[in-house]
Amino acid sequence: MASVALSEAEKVYIVHGVQEDLRVDGRGCEDYRCVEVETDVVSNTSGSARVKLGHTDILVGVKAEMGTPKLEKPNEGYLEFFVDCSANATPEFEGRGGDDLGTEIANTLYRIFNNKSSIDLKSLCISPREHCWILYVDVLLLECGGNLFDTICIAVKAALFNTRIPRVRVLEDEEGSKDIELSDDPYDCIRLSVENVPCIVTLCKIGYRHVVDATLQEEACSLASLLVSVTSKGVVTCMRKVGKGSLDPESIFEMMETGKRVGKVLHASLQSVLHKEESLGPKRQKVGFLG
């Protein structure tokens, strides 16, 4: 993961500021930076989104393709995640430098979406055991500037909100053979409900306190972080501890409570922005991911 080298004096300055609830950029411990969200930025996808959070820049594209349901879940579609760590994001990703991080992020996304409440996978089934929609979610890291997991989750949720899947009908003839008819109308499509899709809130332990939306400099001062996956109702769906340091049970409980509180506000803000952008329709000014 992208990292930055700090002197001991800089670390002391950051740590002491956090203890006083005053961070280097003037935020409090539970404040996010301004998040820029733009959907429908890649033309040849079923849904896409670009999210910028500080110096972290993420592009997500969703492609819906027809396939066969998994044997253990014959009446459900499914999601496949692929994460590409661009060498432009940080020099550390050159060659195969970003492969491990890409696998780690993809596994975290699988874990978040591996429950029935995140997305209604049954709505992706066309005919049980035979045909279903598979959503290929491609995540591209354009720039890394701290708080990677939160930004990726916001981008994935925004891209799934923007996803439009063509409506299909299964026609059966007299002999029992099935034909699939795809609707010609581009507006005749199904949309996914993303209301229960969780977002990750990363809490970095710095000194005796913890902060959300840490910058690269703050991450360099933290030995342990807690990734908390929270729904819009404040329900924690999974947790993961990262970093070399340890966390005591009391700290974990406090970080979970902060994660729930901050997560609910994050979801409400994101949902509001997504609906507002969609309500503008074709009138909205498109910047595009190369804008």
Side-chain angles (χ1 to χ4, degrees), residues 40 55 62 67 81 136 146 167 172 176 209:
D40 200 17
H55 290 294
V62 180
F81 294 98
Y136 293 95
R167 198 177 292 278
E172 197 169 337
R209 299 191 69 159

Side-chain angles (χ1 to χ4, degrees), residues 238-254:
C238 68
M239 274 193 318
R240 184 169 155 241
K241 186 230 147 213
V242 292
K244 298 172 187 172
S246 58
L247 294 170
D248 59 277
E250 194 178 335
S251 293
I252 293 172
F253 179 75
E254 284 175 12

Side-chain angles (χ1 to χ4, degrees), residues 56-256:
T56 300
D57 196 351
I58 306 293
L59 179 70
V60 174
V62 180
K63 253 305 190 34
E65 290 187 12
M66 222 175 277
T68 311
K70 292 180 178 177
L71 285 171
E72 64 272 20
K73 293 175 182 176
N75 59 344
E76 291 181 8
Y78 56 96
L79 284 78
E80 292 280 3
F81 294 98
F82 175 74
V83 181
D84 181 15
C85 301
S86 165
N88 296 332
T90 171
E92 293 161 40
F93 291 163
E94 281 184 23
R96 300 183 67 85
D99 286 5
D100 289 346
L101 178 62
T103 305
E104 184 188 344
I105 293 168
N107 289 341
T108 304
L109 290 169
Y110 278 120
R111 196 173 162 197
I112 288 173
F113 284 89
N114 190 24
N115 66 65
K116 290 178 182 175
S117 57
S118 289
I119 276 199
D120 179 17
L121 295 174
K122 287 184 178 174
S123 67
L124 298 175
C125 183
I126 299 165
S127 59
R129 294 186 180 84
E130 291 174 358
H131 303 286
C132 72
W133 287 109
I134 304 166
L135 300 183
Y136 293 95
V137 182
D138 291 318
V139 180
L140 177 62
L141 276 62
L142 298 171
E143 195 177 350
C144 293
N147 202 20
L148 206 50
F149 285 93
D150 298 29
T151 316
I152 288 169
C153 273
I154 292 169
V156 168
K157 182 166 181 170
L160 288 171
F161 174 84
N162 180 241
T163 298
R164 287 162 171 78
I165 301 167
R167 198 177 292 278
V168 293
R169 288 194 304 159
V170 180
L171 306 172
E172 197 169 337
D173 62 18
E174 293 168 2
E175 294 168 9
S177 63
K178 292 177 181 176
D179 246 357
I180 290 175
E181 189 181 81
L182 212 63
S183 175
D184 296 333
D185 184 357
Y187 295 100
D188 186 20
C189 53
I190 57 173
R191 301 283 300 274
L192 295 167
S193 169
V194 296
E195 192 182 338
N196 294 322
V197 171
C199 279
I200 285 180
V201 177
T202 304
L203 300 116
C204 287
K205 187 82 187 279
I206 298 176
Y208 297 108
R209 299 191 69 159
H210 50 264
V211 300
V212 300
D213 186 22
T215 61
L216 275 180
Q217 288 77 13
E218 287 170 336
E219 285 179 359
C221 299
S222 172
L223 287 174
S225 300
L226 195 67
L227 273 57
V228 184
S229 168
V230 190
T231 67
S232 55
K233 294 182 174 70
V235 177
V236 174
T237 59
C238 68
M239 274 193 318
R240 184 169 155 241
K241 186 230 147 213
V242 292
K244 298 172 187 172
S246 58
L247 294 170
D248 59 277
E250 194 178 335
S251 293
I252 293 172
F253 179 75
E254 284 175 12
M255 290 162 102
M256 279 177 64

